[in-house]
Amino acid sequence: MTTGKVIIISAPSGCGKSTIINALMNEGGINMQFSVSATNRAPRGSEQDGVDYHFLSDHDFREAIAGDAFLEYEEVYPGRFYGTLKSEIDRIASAGSNVVLDIDVNGGLRVKQALGEEALSIFIEPPTIETLRQRLESRGTDSIESIDARVDRARYEIDQAPRYDARVVNDDLNSAVEQVRAIIVQFLSK
Ligand code: 5GP
Protein backbone atom coordinates (compact mmCIF):
# COMPACT_ATOMS: atom_id res chain seq x y z
CA MET A 1 0.00 0.00 0.00
CA THR A 2 2.79 2.44 0.85
CA THR A 3 6.38 2.72 -0.29
CA GLY A 4 7.34 4.46 2.95
CA LYS A 5 7.13 3.33 6.54
CA VAL A 6 4.19 3.76 8.86
CA ILE A 7 4.37 5.36 12.30
CA ILE A 8 1.38 4.46 14.44
CA ILE A 9 0.71 6.72 17.40
CA SER A 10 -2.00 5.73 19.86
CA ALA A 11 -3.02 7.29 23.14
CA PRO A 12 -6.14 7.71 25.20
CA SER A 13 -8.05 10.88 24.35
CA GLY A 14 -6.67 13.82 26.38
CA CYS A 15 -3.08 12.52 26.65
CA GLY A 16 -1.69 15.35 24.54
CA LYS A 17 -1.18 13.13 21.51
CA SER A 18 -2.35 15.74 18.97
CA THR A 19 -0.15 18.38 20.60
CA ILE A 20 2.86 16.04 20.39
CA ILE A 21 2.15 15.13 16.75
CA ASN A 22 1.66 18.81 15.81
CA ALA A 23 4.91 19.77 17.56
CA LEU A 24 6.81 17.08 15.64
CA MET A 25 5.23 18.13 12.35
CA ASN A 26 5.95 21.82 12.93
CA GLU A 27 9.58 21.21 13.93
CA GLY A 28 10.06 19.42 10.62
CA GLY A 29 13.24 17.50 9.92
CA ILE A 30 11.53 14.11 9.69
CA ASN A 31 10.17 12.95 6.35
CA MET A 32 6.64 12.11 7.46
CA GLN A 33 3.12 13.33 6.85
CA PHE A 34 -0.02 13.04 8.94
CA SER A 35 -2.79 10.89 7.52
CA VAL A 36 -6.05 12.80 8.07
CA SER A 37 -8.68 10.28 9.19
CA ALA A 38 -12.40 10.40 8.50
CA THR A 39 -14.92 10.47 11.34
CA ASN A 40 -18.66 10.89 11.82
CA ARG A 41 -18.22 12.83 15.06
CA ALA A 42 -18.77 16.61 15.09
CA PRO A 43 -15.79 19.02 15.02
CA ARG A 44 -14.58 20.06 18.48
CA GLY A 45 -13.21 23.49 19.42
CA SER A 46 -11.12 24.92 16.59
CA GLU A 47 -10.90 21.70 14.57
CA GLN A 48 -11.04 22.16 10.81
CA ASP A 49 -12.46 19.88 8.17
CA GLY A 50 -9.70 18.35 6.03
CA VAL A 51 -7.02 19.35 8.55
CA ASP A 52 -7.85 17.58 11.81
CA TYR A 53 -10.30 15.11 10.29
CA HIS A 54 -12.48 14.70 7.26
CA PHE A 55 -15.79 15.24 9.06
CA LEU A 56 -18.43 13.06 7.40
CA SER A 57 -22.14 12.60 8.04
CA ASP A 58 -23.29 9.15 9.25
CA HIS A 59 -24.56 8.52 5.74
CA ASP A 60 -21.31 9.51 4.03
CA PHE A 61 -19.26 7.44 6.48
CA ARG A 62 -21.41 4.36 5.68
CA GLU A 63 -21.01 5.07 1.96
CA ALA A 64 -17.23 5.24 2.40
CA ILE A 65 -17.26 1.83 4.15
CA ALA A 66 -19.40 0.35 1.37
CA GLY A 67 -17.08 1.87 -1.24
CA ASP A 68 -14.02 0.19 0.38
CA ALA A 69 -12.44 3.59 1.04
CA PHE A 70 -10.80 2.56 4.34
CA LEU A 71 -7.57 0.76 5.12
CA GLU A 72 -9.12 0.22 8.56
CA TYR A 73 -11.94 1.74 10.57
CA GLU A 74 -13.24 1.37 14.12
CA GLU A 75 -16.28 2.28 16.17
CA VAL A 76 -14.11 3.84 18.89
CA TYR A 77 -17.08 5.13 20.93
CA PRO A 78 -20.68 3.94 20.54
CA GLY A 79 -21.93 5.30 17.22
CA ARG A 80 -18.68 7.21 16.64
CA PHE A 81 -16.63 5.86 13.76
CA TYR A 82 -13.07 6.73 12.74
CA GLY A 83 -11.20 5.39 9.72
CA THR A 84 -7.91 5.61 7.83
CA LEU A 85 -8.61 6.55 4.22
CA LYS A 86 -6.70 4.63 1.54
CA SER A 87 -6.63 7.87 -0.46
CA GLU A 88 -4.62 9.56 2.33
CA ILE A 89 -2.05 6.75 2.41
CA ASP A 90 -1.75 6.86 -1.39
CA ARG A 91 -1.34 10.67 -1.35
CA ILE A 92 1.45 10.49 1.24
CA ALA A 93 3.18 7.54 -0.43
CA SER A 94 3.15 9.34 -3.80
CA ALA A 95 4.80 12.33 -2.11
CA GLY A 96 7.60 9.93 -1.03
CA SER A 97 6.91 10.44 2.67
CA ASN A 98 6.46 8.16 5.62
CA VAL A 99 2.97 8.08 7.11
CA VAL A 100 1.88 9.06 10.62
CA LEU A 101 -1.34 7.42 11.80
CA ASP A 102 -3.09 8.73 14.91
CA ILE A 103 -5.40 5.79 15.56
CA ASP A 104 -6.97 3.92 18.45
CA VAL A 105 -5.40 0.78 19.93
CA ASN A 106 -7.55 -1.71 18.01
CA GLY A 107 -6.72 -0.09 14.67
CA GLY A 108 -3.10 0.48 15.72
CA LEU A 109 -2.45 -3.12 16.72
CA ARG A 110 -4.12 -4.43 13.56
CA VAL A 111 -2.06 -2.18 11.26
CA LYS A 112 1.12 -3.12 13.16
CA GLN A 113 0.33 -6.82 12.81
CA ALA A 114 -0.30 -6.43 9.08
CA LEU A 115 2.84 -4.39 8.37
CA GLY A 116 5.33 -5.89 10.87
CA GLU A 117 8.78 -4.29 10.61
CA GLU A 118 7.50 -1.68 8.14
CA ALA A 119 5.57 -0.08 10.99
CA LEU A 120 6.53 1.40 14.34
CA SER A 121 3.87 1.56 17.06
CA ILE A 122 4.17 4.15 19.83
CA PHE A 123 1.80 4.41 22.80
CA ILE A 124 1.55 7.72 24.65
CA GLU A 125 0.13 7.49 28.14
CA PRO A 126 -0.90 9.87 30.90
CA PRO A 127 0.99 9.79 34.23
CA THR A 128 -2.24 8.54 35.87
CA ILE A 129 -5.93 8.09 35.02
CA GLU A 130 -6.71 10.98 37.43
CA THR A 131 -4.45 13.36 35.45
CA LEU A 132 -6.23 12.28 32.30
CA ARG A 133 -9.67 13.05 33.76
CA GLN A 134 -8.44 16.48 34.90
CA ARG A 135 -7.06 17.25 31.44
CA LEU A 136 -10.34 16.25 29.78
CA GLU A 137 -12.30 18.40 32.24
CA SER A 138 -10.04 21.44 31.78
CA ARG A 139 -10.22 21.10 27.98
CA GLY A 140 -13.89 22.01 28.43
CA THR A 141 -14.96 20.55 25.08
CA ASP A 142 -16.65 17.36 26.27
CA SER A 143 -19.79 16.66 28.30
CA ILE A 144 -19.52 14.71 31.59
CA GLU A 145 -20.92 11.62 29.81
CA SER A 146 -18.35 11.95 27.08
CA ILE A 147 -15.55 12.39 29.65
CA ASP A 148 -16.72 9.26 31.53
CA ALA A 149 -16.75 7.30 28.27
CA ARG A 150 -13.25 8.53 27.42
CA VAL A 151 -11.88 7.63 30.86
CA ASP A 152 -13.40 4.12 30.62
CA ARG A 153 -11.94 3.74 27.17
CA ALA A 154 -8.54 4.99 28.43
CA ARG A 155 -8.42 2.15 30.99
CA TYR A 156 -8.94 -0.37 28.20
CA GLU A 157 -6.34 1.30 25.95
CA ILE A 158 -3.69 1.51 28.71
CA ASP A 159 -4.12 -2.24 29.27
CA GLN A 160 -3.06 -2.77 25.64
CA ALA A 161 0.06 -0.55 25.92
CA PRO A 162 2.52 -3.44 26.53
CA ARG A 163 1.74 -4.68 23.01
CA TYR A 164 3.25 -1.51 21.47
CA ASP A 165 6.88 -1.22 20.26
CA ALA A 166 7.49 1.82 22.46
CA ARG A 167 5.73 3.68 25.32
CA VAL A 168 6.13 7.32 26.32
CA VAL A 169 4.58 8.87 29.43
CA ASN A 170 3.45 12.46 28.79
CA ASP A 171 4.10 14.17 32.11
CA ASP A 172 6.23 16.91 30.54
CA LEU A 173 5.29 17.95 27.00
CA ASN A 174 8.77 18.93 25.74
CA SER A 175 10.33 15.79 27.10
CA ALA A 176 7.56 13.63 25.57
CA VAL A 177 8.02 15.32 22.16
CA GLU A 178 11.77 14.70 22.27
CA GLN A 179 11.34 11.07 23.31
CA VAL A 180 8.86 10.40 20.51
CA ARG A 181 11.13 12.20 18.04
CA ALA A 182 14.15 10.08 19.06
CA ILE A 183 12.17 6.83 18.76
CA ILE A 184 10.94 7.77 15.26
CA VAL A 185 14.38 8.95 14.05
CA GLN A 186 15.95 5.69 15.22
CA PHE A 187 13.26 3.61 13.51
CA LEU A 188 13.54 5.49 10.20
CA SER A 189 17.32 5.19 10.18
CA LYS A 190 17.16 1.37 10.19
P1 5GP B 1 -10.91 12.01 19.19
O1 5GP B 1 -12.41 11.95 19.13
O2 5GP B 1 -10.39 12.33 20.57
O3 5GP B 1 -10.30 12.89 18.13
O4 5GP B 1 -10.35 10.56 18.81
C1 5GP B 1 -10.82 9.45 19.46
C2 5GP B 1 -9.98 8.25 19.13
O5 5GP B 1 -10.12 7.87 17.75
C3 5GP B 1 -8.48 8.44 19.36
O6 5GP B 1 -8.03 7.32 20.10
C4 5GP B 1 -7.92 8.43 17.97
O7 5GP B 1 -6.59 7.94 17.95
C5 5GP B 1 -8.87 7.49 17.27
N1 5GP B 1 -8.80 7.62 15.82
C6 5GP B 1 -8.68 8.75 15.08
N2 5GP B 1 -8.62 8.47 13.77
C7 5GP B 1 -8.69 7.11 13.67
C8 5GP B 1 -8.67 6.21 12.57
O8 5GP B 1 -8.57 6.58 11.40
N3 5GP B 1 -8.79 4.89 12.85
C9 5GP B 1 -8.90 4.42 14.14
N4 5GP B 1 -8.98 3.11 14.30
N5 5GP B 1 -8.92 5.24 15.20
C10 5GP B 1 -8.82 6.58 14.97
Side-chain angles (χ1 to χ4, degrees), residues 11 13 17 37 41 44 53 72 74 76-77 82-84 102-104 107 150:
S13 180
K17 175 183 47 179
S37 295
R41 82 150 163 77
R44 194 167 61 205
Y53 282 107
E72 62 77 41
E74 284 285 332
V76 179
Y77 303 107
Y82 299 80
T84 305
D102 165 352
I103 62 180
D104 87 304
R150 281 162 194 272

Coordinates of all heavy atoms in Angstrom, one line a residue, residues 11 13 17 37 41 44 53 72 74 76-77 82-84 102-104 107 150, ligand 1:
A11 N -3.0 6.8 21.8 CA -3.0 7.3 23.1 C -4.5 7.5 23.5 O -5.3 7.9 22.7 CB -2.3 8.6 23.2
S13 N -7.7 9.5 24.6 CA -8.1 10.9 24.4 C -7.7 11.8 25.5 O -8.0 11.4 26.7 CB -9.6 10.9 24.1 OG -10.0 12.1 23.9
K17 N -1.7 13.7 22.7 CA -1.2 13.1 21.5 C -1.2 14.1 20.3 O -0.2 14.2 19.6 CB -2.0 11.9 21.2 CG -1.7 11.2 19.9 CD -2.6 10.1 19.7 CE -4.1 10.5 19.9 NZ -5.0 9.4 19.7
S37 N -7.6 11.3 9.1 CA -8.7 10.3 9.2 C -10.1 10.9 8.9 O -10.2 12.1 8.9 CB -8.7 9.7 10.6 OG -7.6 9.0 10.9
R41 N -17.9 12.0 13.9 CA -18.2 12.8 15.1 C -18.1 14.3 14.6 O -17.5 14.6 13.6 CB -17.3 12.5 16.2 CG -15.9 13.2 16.2 CD -15.4 13.4 17.6 NE -14.0 13.7 17.7 CZ -13.4 14.8 17.4 NH1 -14.1 15.8 16.8 NH2 -12.1 15.0 17.5
R44 N -14.7 19.6 17.1 CA -14.6 20.1 18.5 C -13.7 21.3 18.5 O -12.7 21.3 17.8 CB -13.9 18.9 19.2 CG -13.9 19.0 20.7 CD -13.5 17.6 21.3 NE -12.1 17.2 21.0 CZ -11.7 16.0 20.9 NH1 -12.5 15.0 21.2 NH2 -10.4 15.8 20.6
Y53 N -9.6 16.3 10.8 CA -10.3 15.1 10.3 C -11.0 15.5 9.0 O -11.3 16.7 8.8 CB -11.4 14.7 11.3 CG -10.9 13.9 12.5 CD1 -10.9 14.5 13.8 CD2 -10.5 12.6 12.4 CE1 -10.4 13.8 14.9 CE2 -10.1 11.9 13.6 CZ -10.0 12.5 14.8 OH -9.6 11.8 15.9
E72 N -8.5 0.8 7.3 CA -9.1 0.2 8.6 C -10.1 1.3 9.1 O -9.9 2.4 8.8 CB -8.0 -0.1 9.6 CG -7.2 1.0 10.1 CD -7.9 1.9 11.1 OE1 -8.6 1.4 12.0 OE2 -7.8 3.2 11.1
E74 N -12.8 1.9 12.8 CA -13.2 1.4 14.1 C -14.4 2.2 14.6 O -14.4 3.4 14.4 CB -12.1 1.5 15.2 CG -11.0 0.5 15.0 CD -11.4 -0.9 15.5 OE1 -12.3 -1.0 16.4 OE2 -10.8 -1.9 15.0
V76 N -14.9 3.6 17.7 CA -14.1 3.8 18.9 C -15.0 4.1 20.1 O -14.7 3.6 21.2 CB -13.1 5.0 18.7 CG1 -12.3 5.2 19.9 CG2 -12.1 4.6 17.5
Y77 N -16.1 4.9 19.9 CA -17.1 5.1 20.9 C -18.4 4.7 20.3 O -18.5 4.8 19.1 CB -17.1 6.6 21.4 CG -15.8 7.1 21.8 CD1 -15.0 8.0 21.1 CD2 -15.3 6.7 23.1 CE1 -13.8 8.4 21.5 CE2 -14.0 7.1 23.5 CZ -13.3 8.0 22.7 OH -12.1 8.4 23.2
Y82 N -14.3 6.1 13.2 CA -13.1 6.7 12.7 C -12.4 5.8 11.8 O -12.3 4.6 12.0 CB -12.1 7.0 13.9 CG -12.6 7.8 15.0 CD1 -13.5 7.3 16.0 CD2 -12.3 9.2 15.1 CE1 -14.0 8.1 17.0 CE2 -12.7 10.0 16.1 CZ -13.6 9.5 17.1 OH -14.1 10.3 18.1
G83 N -11.8 6.3 10.7 CA -11.2 5.4 9.7 C -10.0 6.0 9.0 O -10.0 7.2 8.7
T84 N -9.1 5.2 8.6 CA -7.9 5.6 7.8 C -8.3 5.5 6.4 O -8.5 4.3 5.9 CB -6.7 4.7 8.1 OG1 -6.5 4.7 9.5 CG2 -5.4 5.2 7.4
D102 N -2.6 8.5 13.5 CA -3.1 8.7 14.9 C -4.4 7.9 15.0 O -5.4 8.3 14.6 CB -3.3 10.2 15.1 CG -4.1 10.6 16.3 OD1 -4.7 9.7 17.0 OD2 -4.3 11.8 16.6
I103 N -4.2 6.7 15.5 CA -5.4 5.8 15.6 C -5.5 5.1 16.9 O -4.6 5.0 17.7 CB -5.4 4.8 14.4 CG1 -4.2 3.8 14.4 CG2 -5.4 5.5 13.1 CD1 -4.2 2.9 13.2
D104 N -6.7 4.6 17.2 CA -7.0 3.9 18.5 C -6.2 2.6 18.5 O -5.7 2.1 17.6 CB -8.5 3.7 18.7 CG -8.9 2.4 18.1 OD1 -8.7 2.2 16.8 OD2 -9.5 1.6 18.8
G107 N -7.2 -0.4 16.0 CA -6.7 -0.1 14.7 C -5.2 -0.2 14.6 O -4.6 -0.7 13.7
R150 N -14.7 8.5 27.8 CA -13.3 8.5 27.4 C -12.3 8.0 28.5 O -11.3 7.3 28.2 CB -12.9 10.0 27.1 CG -13.4 10.3 25.7 CD -13.4 11.8 25.4 NE -14.2 12.0 24.2 CZ -13.7 12.1 22.9 NH1 -12.4 11.9 22.8 NH2 -14.5 12.2 21.9
Ligands
5GP1 P1 -10.9 12.0 19.2 O1 -12.4 12.0 19.1 O2 -10.4 12.3 20.6 O3 -10.3 12.9 18.1 O4 -10.4 10.6 18.8 C1 -10.8 9.5 19.5 C2 -10.0 8.2 19.1 O5 -10.1 7.9 17.8 C3 -8.5 8.4 19.4 O6 -8.0 7.3 20.1 C4 -7.9 8.4 18.0 O7 -6.6 7.9 18.0 C5 -8.9 7.5 17.3 N1 -8.8 7.6 15.8 C6 -8.7 8.8 15.1 N2 -8.6 8.5 13.8 C7 -8.7 7.1 13.7 C8 -8.7 6.2 12.6 O8 -8.6 6.6 11.4 N3 -8.8 4.9 12.9 C9 -8.9 4.4 14.1 N4 -9.0 3.1 14.3 N5 -8.9 5.2 15.2 C10 -8.8 6.6 15.0

